[in-house]
Amino acid sequence: MSGITGWVDRHRDLTRESAAVAAMTARLVRGTHGDRQWSAPHALLGHRADAPEPLGAPPAAVQEHGRTLAAITFDGVLDNATQLRSALDPPGPLITDAQLILHGYLRWGCAVAERLEGLFAFAIWDARSSELVLGRDRFGIKPLSYLPLPHGALFASEAAALGAHPLIDNELDAEGLCSLLAQVRRPGHSALRRVREVRPGHLVRLGPDGVREHRYWALEAHPHTEDLASTIATTRALLEEVIAREAAACSPAAVLLSGGLDSSTLTALVAQRAGPAPRTFTVSFGDSAATVPDRPFAQAVVDHLGCEHHEILVDPATLTHPPTLEAVLAAKDFPSPFGDKNLTPYLFYRQVAAETPVALSGEAADAVFGGLISDQERASTEHRTFPWIERARAFGLDNGIGNDLFDQDLLRGIDFTGFCAERYQEARQEVPHLPGAPADDRRAREIDYLHMTRLYEQAVNHSERLAAAAGLQVRFPFSDHRLFRYLYNVPWRMKSFDGRDKSLLRTIAADLLPASVLDRPKVPFPITYHAGYKQSLAERLREVLTDHDAPVRPLLDLPKAWQVVDDPGRLDRGGWLGRADTEMVLQLDGWLRARRIRPAL
């Protein structure tokens, strides 16, 4: 787990520009120490590491006859390092994953990406062709942004780190604001003007011929030929293989256990395949937790498997500490309406990191096993936008979650509705389908694809960024691309063969878990109901509204925002959803201030 930065310019001597990349590296929240830099006349590569990485995993270079061929800076972990090392058969030791990737690039070129297994983001400076090559894992779990320049580029794990460079103008235009409010961006684009993101499963090559994208992995639609029994057996075999591999990364194994089906099944398979029962970690708020607390279900799993269990208590009072608010906003890199759904995991991960450097998470199982599709959504022929926006509209939130306090004229002016519709159609056109597939199977496949490729920002990516900032390396076995590729082509009737969601996963877990856990309804991540937290939201909103220099103030429907201050009971509208409106305003204001971003709407 680390962060990477860099600057390349084919026409500029960067020998004396190391301070600029050092400033970018210092802005990273990923990694805690070990800032390193590799330099050449036309390339500067920066890196910040965490302790678990061998030798701090500094940028690496390969030379031949005293001439640099290429250099790399790398964030992530390879699951198939041993196989890569064997395939390369190097004359000397290749200690780090970064060195393996670089030697692989020199042998196979950009085709090296297809050989990589794991979570990764890397930047390679190819001195032979004066080309920068940026790569990202198949689901984009590791972040990587860049800014193309006339003769090169800037890049960084975090957009905030890019903002530390003097060539970045830090402007938020209408499309950027739409992407923040919708929580969906145009593929390959950032919320900041001119800043781009390496798309999941892609390489970006920036060289003398300009910017070129290469897609090295994509989901494909194939006929499913196995019967139900064989499908269950294949799914279980795939799961056991990936879980055994991931569990080997931390010894003894550690699992983030909520007591839900996904994390409980993960825990049971770790116990079965990786040796002794793993250490488990569950978040708790005491008496202010959600109405369906995780504790009894998690405890049932612990008792059943004999886990070494740790219940991590998050004091609701710490959720309002300014340093925590600032740390979480920096970790996410962009504002969101999720409030304590961001704060609580960060504080939880920070305490887990004191016990183990690596932990496994059950995130992504919903998307992989079809757990995010209701029968109504699957049968519906009326769908004009993303499923999660449609669900928000069912609660009377016409503009989606967190956007009710923004000025309606502003939203019309930036064409927020049109932006969402365009992104939705764009995403739908990507979905691989089988010719002649039934309508409900096409819809189920579409919803799975949209969640995996567009909602990850609120799930797996969300967890990875918060954990990285807290010093914890989280791995996501259900995000294995082979598992998802297989299950993507399993028909919906098999995924819900017994009339329930995630039927395949429940069947696999049937002989591993207590019945109470198998039958537990899905519940969201718990929120705090502590009165002090809601009071803090109202007070912070009042501060924004009374500060005429607050950058978010011109974007708001001020009378409606004042109603929340005058009647904090409005925060309870729709349960947690009323709170999200205020959370988004506060997050956006803090982000604009901290990053000195200028709205250019």
Side-chain angles (χ1 to χ4, degrees):
M1 181 174 59
S2 52
I4 63 177
T5 62
W7 181 11
V8 302
D9 195 312
R10 294 179 296 277
H11 289 194
R12 183 171 181 168
D13 185 354
L14 301 180
T15 305
R16 299 184 179 181
E17 303 286 358
S18 61
V21 172
M24 293 167 62
T25 307
R27 182 73 68 87
L28 293 168
V29 299
R30 308 172 68 82
T32 56
H33 70 285
D35 290 16
R36 306 289 186 91
Q37 195 172 120
W38 179 90
S39 62
H42 299 292
L44 296 170
L45 308 182
H47 186 271
R48 167 172 284 189
D50 261 355
E53 297 177 291
L55 304 183
V62 173
Q63 292 188 327
E64 185 176 83
H65 306 303
R67 181 175 67 94
T68 297
L69 300 181
I72 186 172
T73 184
F74 169 76
D75 169 28
V77 60
L78 295 182
D79 295 328
N80 63 332
T82 301
Q83 295 91 323
L84 276 176
R85 193 174 287 109
S86 297
L88 288 167
D89 190 23
L94 297 181
I95 300 174
T96 68
D97 290 349
Q99 291 170 332
L100 283 171
I101 295 172
L102 185 58
H103 280 265
Y105 172 78
L106 291 172
R107 176 173 295 188
W108 302 303
C110 289
V112 67
E114 302 167 18
R115 296 172 176 259
L116 304 181
E117 305 285 348
L119 309 181
F120 56 84
F122 63 80
I124 293 174
W125 168 245
D126 191 332
R128 303 166 302 176
S129 59
S130 295
E131 184 176 56
L132 175 68
V133 180
L134 305 175
R136 199 171 173 203
D137 62 69
R138 290 166 179 79
F139 290 126
I141 296 173
K142 291 293 183 180
L144 187 56
S145 298
Y146 67 99
L147 174 70
L149 300 173
H151 306 294
L154 300 171
F155 67 88
S157 297
E158 302 156 17
L162 285 177
H165 196 283
L167 292 179
I168 292 282
D169 53 20
N170 278 333
E171 282 192 355
L172 178 71
D173 58 17
E175 179 176 321
L177 180 58
C178 284
S179 70
L180 292 178
L181 299 182
Q183 298 292 304
V184 175
R185 296 191 283 278
R186 187 150 48 115
H189 287 245
S190 167
L192 292 174
R193 191 175 70 86
R194 299 198 301 139
V195 174
R196 299 292 181 261
E197 295 176 348
V198 179
R199 297 179 64 178
H202 281 69
L203 298 179
V204 176
R205 303 170 66 180
L206 301 102
D209 297 332
V211 181
R212 292 175 291 168
E213 277 193 291
H214 167 63
R215 187 172 190 171
Y216 70 85
W217 185 82
L219 281 170
E220 297 176 348
H222 299 290
H224 185 73
T225 58
E226 295 181 328
D227 61 16
L228 179 59
S230 297
T231 298
I232 293 170
T234 299
T235 303
R236 180 161 187 160
L238 285 168
L239 261 181
E240 290 177 344
E241 178 185 350
V242 67
I243 286 172
R245 183 190 70 216
E246 296 287 4
C250 49
S251 182
V255 180
L256 307 178
L257 174 65
S258 71
L261 176 65
D262 306 339
S263 64
S264 299
T265 303
L266 172 60
T267 304
L269 286 172
V270 170
Q272 181 187 64
R273 299 294 300 175
R279 292 173 293 168
T280 49
F281 298 85
T282 300
V283 67
S284 172
F285 294 100
D287 294 335
S288 63
T291 53
V292 183
D294 289 335
R295 177 184 293 168
F297 299 97
Q299 192 62 51
V301 173
V302 168
D303 293 342
H304 186 72
L305 299 174
C307 302
E308 176 192 325
H309 189 54
H310 304 257
E311 186 171 286
I312 305 296
L313 179 64
V314 173
D315 182 354
T318 62
L319 299 176
T320 59
H321 288 175
T324 301
L325 298 172
E326 293 168 6
V328 168
L329 181 57
K332 290 298 292 285
D333 211 18
F334 292 102
S336 78
F338 301 110
D340 65 313
K341 288 177 177 283
N342 293 335
L343 298 163
T344 300
Y346 171 76
L347 294 170
F348 172 59
Y349 294 147
R350 199 165 65 181
Q351 293 190 61
V352 174
E355 302 292 335
T356 178
V358 183
L360 307 183
S361 168
E363 289 276 13
D366 276 327
V368 172
F369 284 93
L372 295 168
I373 309 172
S374 69
D375 289 338
Q376 182 180 359
E377 287 173 325
R378 180 173 53 83
S380 172
T381 58
E382 295 293 328
H383 26 267
R384 294 165 293 179
T385 189
F386 295 100
W388 51 95
I389 295 180
E390 286 187 344
R391 292 169 200 150
R393 288 176 176 171
F395 285 94
L397 306 176
D398 292 341
N399 295 311
I401 295 174
N403 300 328
D404 197 49
L405 299 184
F406 290 93
D407 183 77
Q408 294 299 306
D409 289 337
L410 168 74
L411 297 181
R412 284 188 287 269
I414 63 176
D415 193 17
F416 178 69
T417 300
F419 173 88
C420 293
E422 187 176 346
R423 299 286 77 75
Y424 177 57
Q425 293 304 324
E426 182 177 68
R428 287 189 73 192
Q429 289 171 8
E430 293 178 13
V431 181
H433 285 296
L434 283 175
D440 61 344
D441 193 59
R442 287 177 62 88
R443 179 58 176 162
R445 189 185 291 265
E446 178 180 287
I447 292 176
D448 278 351
Y449 184 90
L450 295 179
H451 280 93
M452 183 61 77
T453 63
R454 297 305 194 273
L455 198 66
Y456 246 30
E457 191 68 34
Q458 301 171 28
V460 174
N461 295 2
H462 150 93
S463 297
E464 194 278 339
R465 284 149 181 72
L466 291 171
L472 179 68
Q473 184 184 126
V474 176
R475 299 194 179 190
F476 308 94
F478 291 115
S479 287
D480 182 78
H481 65 95
R482 289 156 299 195
L483 177 66
F484 187 58
R485 180 178 56 195
Y486 176 77
L487 288 171
Y488 181 73
N489 287 295
V490 172
W492 174 250
R493 64 182 179 276
M494 283 192 178
K495 290 183 179 179
S496 60
F497 69 86
D498 61 359
R500 297 188 297 175
D501 65 322
K502 294 188 285 191
S503 301
L504 295 176
L505 189 60
R506 290 181 195 279
T507 301
I508 289 169
D511 62 342
L512 301 174
L513 295 173
S516 61
V517 176
L518 286 170
D519 297 331
R520 183 190 183 189
K522 179 175 178 57
V523 296
F525 190 87
I527 64 172
T528 180
Y529 289 93
H530 195 271
Y533 183 74
K534 291 191 289 183
Q535 181 182 353
S536 172
L537 287 179
E539 291 174 352
R540 290 164 56 208
L541 181 59
R542 180 191 295 275
E543 291 174 3
V544 167
L545 297 179
T546 55
D547 180 0
H548 290 269
D549 293 325
V552 77
R553 196 174 184 275
L555 311 180
L556 302 181
D557 181 332
L558 294 177
K560 184 176 284 189
W562 274 111
Q563 288 176 2
V564 176
V565 174
D566 296 335
D567 179 13
R570 291 177 177 268
L571 293 170
D572 297 323
R573 180 173 63 94
W576 166 84
L577 294 173
R579 227 199 262 182
D581 296 327
T582 297
E583 302 273 19
M584 187 61 189
V585 169
L586 297 175
Q587 285 256 313
L588 182 57
D589 187 70
W591 182 70
L592 293 171
R593 289 177 190 263
R595 303 271 289 275
R596 298 181 180 179
I597 294 169
R598 298 183 300 277
L601 306 176

